[in-house]
Amino acid sequence: MVQAARELLAVRSPLDAELMVSDMVGAWWGRRVRGGDVEQVLGEGLVDYAAKAGTPASLTLLICLAYLGTARQGAKAEGAALAMMESGVARPGWADRVGAVKPTGCYVSRDAYGDQDTVICTFGYRWNEEGAAAPHAQDRHALVVVVDYNMSGMARDAWVSSHVDKLIDEARAEAEANPMLLFEEVEPQQARALLESAMRATREPKNPPPVSDSYSAYHAFARSRLKALPPGRKRPAPLHSEAPYSRERRAMLAAEFLASDAAEHLSDPSAASRCADHIIDYGCEQDFDRPLRVSPTKCETFLLEWLPRKVMLSHAEQEAMPHVLAAWVRFAARRTGLPEPGITATLDGVWEATARFPEAYRDPASFGLDMALMERLLPDGDLSALARRVFAFPILQGRHGEVDLDTLNPADEADRRILLEIDHVGELDEQHLAWHEEIATRLWEGDPPQLWEAAQRLLDLGHDRHEVLHVLIEIVERIGADPEELASALDDIADIPDGL
């Protein structure tokens, strides 16, 4: 990378240099390395190596990293660059304008469904101190970021355009011609809060993050450009999300739906009520408190991905769910004013997904566990917890001496202790059992999610359950209660260390 940085000496504008370095450091974005955080191992390692090189190319690289790097990389790069400049290392004439930009406008293009926002932030380079335009000061450019609300509000694509006026004119004209599109100017503070939230969502543990091929190349550039926007009051994403839904408000909304004309044809009121609760919960918890937002993609994701992974439905609810969802689309779309073409397309999407729903939703009875056992493991109906809870409590049936295991409830603290004692016969050390109880409780609750993810990686490598549990105990005991440090340590586990 330091050798490749020699190309920076040939560019003519700070924008070109910033984009080149952003592409360069994007090579490791979203990746993992053994022995630490990738930004520390590779990013800070690059800063240290460039500082030692002491060449004009490495100085130019450090100047760009001071703006584009993480906070730690930026501080180290700035200090190293100042030292090199004091020693007389030459730099290009444009180097002092890296990152010296001001925002000139922010816009959002969104579809009428609310599936995604395309955020456009435009910038220009600042004027110099004498009041004259610096070279390439008119190099206006637009940062474009796509925020996907069917993917937890994450930023999933980004790019930069130098054709600012053409980009905005085309977006505005397209919205004027298509009733399913909206285009508006927004305050820079709003744009910054929205994009910061979206980029945080993209950083959530996903391996690899489901982003476009170009996102990594522009990630550092986008992160740094947001700092040029004025900070403001933190706002939830998306810009038009509703106030939080309490349990009472959710219940009232469900009652309004069940009493509406849209739901009058539903033949099983009890199953319909439970299905409506799941639809509302999904909209509140997965879609920024927007249960009334409907779209073909959202309905398909709910029916074919979220339900099969998260909710244990009865046979009656499995039969009713597609019909309740279609009725909900009619009810919600009228409330939100979704244009008629959007309603038709969403209903078509529901019926297309309905044909695949029986295959996508595996009946819990097909898991080989009887319903009584399923109910003990999933009192909250959370299907996604099944595997980790079976791992935590593998002995739940039969007898052990005078104990009837079928009567013990793993959700009960006292019964949980008995189950763990039976699972660890011969390991009667109280402190050791206490740590097993700590891990079992965390696995039961999914706290943190990285605990079960680490366990699965080790199981996939062929380690037995007992070995994996002891590794998890060692990490939790060593790290303590700090949630961020614990999550980071669990993320770093790639195998069981020798001698453990």
Side-chain angles (χ1 to χ4, degrees), residues 412-427:
D412 179 80
E413 186 175 339
D415 287 359
R416 180 178 294 173
R417 180 73 176 202
I418 296 172
L419 288 167
L420 289 172
E421 288 174 351
I422 293 172
D423 185 30
H424 297 86
V425 173
E427 298 181 28

Side-chain angles (χ1 to χ4, degrees), residues 191-214:
R192 176 170 177 166
L194 172 58
L195 291 180
E196 286 180 338
S197 173
M199 294 183 74
R200 280 196 301 271
T202 306
R203 290 201 302 270
E204 291 298 315
K206 298 176 181 71
N207 192 19
V211 296
S212 69
D213 292 339
S214 65

Side-chain angles (χ1 to χ4, degrees), residues 1-212:
M1 287 186 171
V2 171
Q3 290 179 342
R6 287 180 292 189
E7 297 182 17
L8 292 170
L9 299 175
V11 303
R12 302 182 62 187
S13 76
L15 177 61
D16 291 337
E18 290 166 26
L19 291 174
M20 286 177 62
V21 174
S22 180
D23 187 20
M24 185 183 296
V25 301
W28 64 70
W29 180 83
R31 299 182 181 271
R32 298 178 184 274
V33 294
R34 295 288 297 272
D37 175 72
V38 66
E39 294 291 356
Q40 180 179 355
V41 174
L42 293 180
E44 295 179 30
L46 175 60
V47 172
D48 293 338
Y49 192 87
K52 293 177 182 177
T55 63
S58 65
L59 171 59
T60 306
L61 176 59
L62 288 171
I63 291 171
C64 291
L65 286 173
Y67 172 68
L68 294 167
T70 65
R72 285 172 55 94
Q73 292 166 11
K76 294 184 69 172
E78 183 177 11
L82 289 172
M84 290 174 66
M85 286 187 287
E86 289 176 358
S87 67
V89 179
R91 68 185 190 278
W94 49 259
D96 59 349
R97 299 196 306 281
V98 168
V101 296
K102 59 180 179 180
T104 57
C106 295
Y107 310 84
V108 175
S109 176
R110 60 170 55 90
D111 61 81
Y113 295 119
D115 280 338
Q116 69 178 32
D117 289 343
T118 299
V119 184
I120 304 171
C121 297
T122 64
F123 300 89
Y125 283 88
R126 295 180 182 274
W127 295 55
N128 63 24
E129 293 180 357
E130 288 74 28
H136 298 276
Q138 301 306 311
D139 280 351
R140 291 177 64 214
H141 52 280
L143 168 66
V144 185
V145 180
V146 177
V147 181
D148 194 324
Y149 296 111
N150 292 311
M151 299 173 67
S152 304
M154 64 180 286
R156 65 169 179 81
D157 200 1
W159 66 91
V160 172
S161 173
S162 58
H163 304 290
V164 176
D165 293 332
K166 180 180 179 182
L167 176 70
I168 294 173
D169 289 344
E170 287 181 350
R172 183 177 285 116
E174 189 175 8
E176 290 173 353
N178 188 344
M180 294 299 294
L181 290 177
L182 305 169
F183 183 80
E184 62 180 333
E185 186 169 5
V186 296
E187 294 295 326
Q189 295 91 332
Q190 290 180 300
R192 176 170 177 166
L194 172 58
L195 291 180
E196 286 180 338
S197 173
M199 294 183 74
R200 280 196 301 271
T202 306
R203 290 201 302 270
E204 291 298 315
K206 298 176 181 71
N207 192 19
V211 296
S212 69

Side-chain angles (χ1 to χ4, degrees), residues 48 69 86 117 148 159 278 300 350 362 383 402 430 444:
D48 293 338
E86 289 176 358
D117 289 343
D148 194 324
W159 66 91
H278 294 313
E300 179 179 319
V350 170
R362 287 184 61 198
L383 271 178
E402 299 297 320
E430 284 298 317
W444 181 273

Side-chain angles (χ1 to χ4, degrees), residues 34 391 452-465 467-468 471-472 490-498:
R34 295 288 297 272
F391 175 78
W452 176 230
E453 293 169 4
Q456 291 177 92
R457 290 197 300 273
L458 297 178
L459 291 169
D460 289 343
L461 292 172
H463 298 292
D464 65 38
R465 173 176 173 273
E467 290 177 317
V468 173
V471 170
L472 300 181
L490 291 165
D491 273 339
D492 288 340
I493 297 177
D495 202 347
I496 294 179
D498 293 336

Side-chain angles (χ1 to χ4, degrees), residues 395 397-408 418 422 425:
I395 303 175
Q397 293 178 302
R399 299 189 67 86
H400 181 80
E402 299 297 320
V403 180
D404 183 357
L405 299 178
D406 294 79
T407 64
L408 298 180
I418 296 172
I422 293 172
V425 173

